[in-house]
Amino acid sequence: MVQAREGAASPAGEAVPPASAGASATGQAPATTGASATPPTTDQGTGGAGTTPPATAQGPGNTAPTASPAGPCSRDETFRITTVGKGKQPTVQVEPDPGYGKALRAAEVDLDGRGQQDLYVIFPAEAGSDGATMQALYVHCSGDRYAPVWGPEYTLELKPLDTRTQGWRDVVHREKSGTLDAPKVKRVTMRFQGDTYQDASTETEKP
């Protein structure tokens, strides 16, 4: 190292003159050059000594984050959903496969008021003894990517309402309750909270 040898004595007993500023491998002026010498690193950048030069300033902490919608689409859990069938309730392909068999697009509805077509999906193969089927709501993120905002869960029906919470349409799902001798149907109103729909109120439908 050059700095380690600069203060060493010569064979004749005389001090070896320090290397000139800029000859150091580190680019720092040696201590014997005086306070007037300016280290080359302070001539670059905008923050003085220790500031990363502009040529390397685009590190992980400085690059702009990838734009993504706030709410459910900002999560890692999104699905690729494509329509592969025809008809009123065409078959859709959900990837990764949630494992509930065939999926049908029951309806397209704008849940969050962005003008995008969100999906109401039914998995008819997953049916309970009370007639409920596995159903889900997916909000459109971009392209063919969707994020789940409710389900998949067993329910008799999902119905978006005209009322809104946080800009999102409220949704009703219907569930059977009561006993075999006195069956009832619950009407559960859900409101959007954070990045999913949550139950807000429940009422029993009249038989």
Side-chain angles (χ1 to χ4, degrees), residues 26-29 37-54:
T26 62
Q28 300 289 335
T38 304
T41 54
T42 60
D43 293 333
Q44 303 183 49
T46 58
T51 300
T52 305

Side-chain angles (χ1 to χ4, degrees), residues 26-181:
T26 62
Q28 300 289 335
T32 57
T33 58
S36 61
T38 304
T41 54
T42 60
D43 293 333
Q44 303 183 49
T46 58
T51 300
T52 305
T56 58
Q58 296 300 318
N62 296 307
T63 55
T66 302
S68 62
C73 290
S74 63
R75 301 188 315 232
D76 293 334
E77 183 190 17
T78 61
F79 292 82
R80 181 174 181 264
I81 303 180
T82 53
T83 302
V84 295
K86 297 181 180 180
K88 186 177 180 180
Q89 291 189 346
T91 301
V92 294
Q93 184 173 357
V94 182
E95 300 175 286
D97 185 357
Y100 303 120
K102 182 179 181 179
L104 301 178
R105 189 187 72 199
E108 292 180 303
V109 57
D110 183 5
L111 292 172
D112 56 3
R114 294 188 301 127
Q116 304 292 330
Q117 292 302 305
D118 308 315
L119 300 181
Y120 170 17
V121 176
I122 297 176
F123 301 88
E126 290 288 328
S129 59
D130 59 355
T133 55
M134 193 71 75
Q135 304 182 27
L137 292 172
Y138 295 89
V139 65
H140 182 258
C141 296
S142 63
D144 56 7
R145 305 299 298 187
Y146 294 80
V149 289
W150 189 84
E153 293 186 28
Y154 285 105
T155 186
L156 296 173
E157 179 189 28
L158 287 170
K159 182 180 180 180
L161 303 177
D162 291 332
T163 57
R164 293 180 180 271
T165 300
Q166 298 182 15
W168 289 68
R169 292 177 70 172
D170 300 333
V171 177
V172 164
H173 68 91
R174 298 170 65 247
E175 314 287 344
K176 281 191 176 180
S177 61
T179 63
L180 292 176
D181 296 331

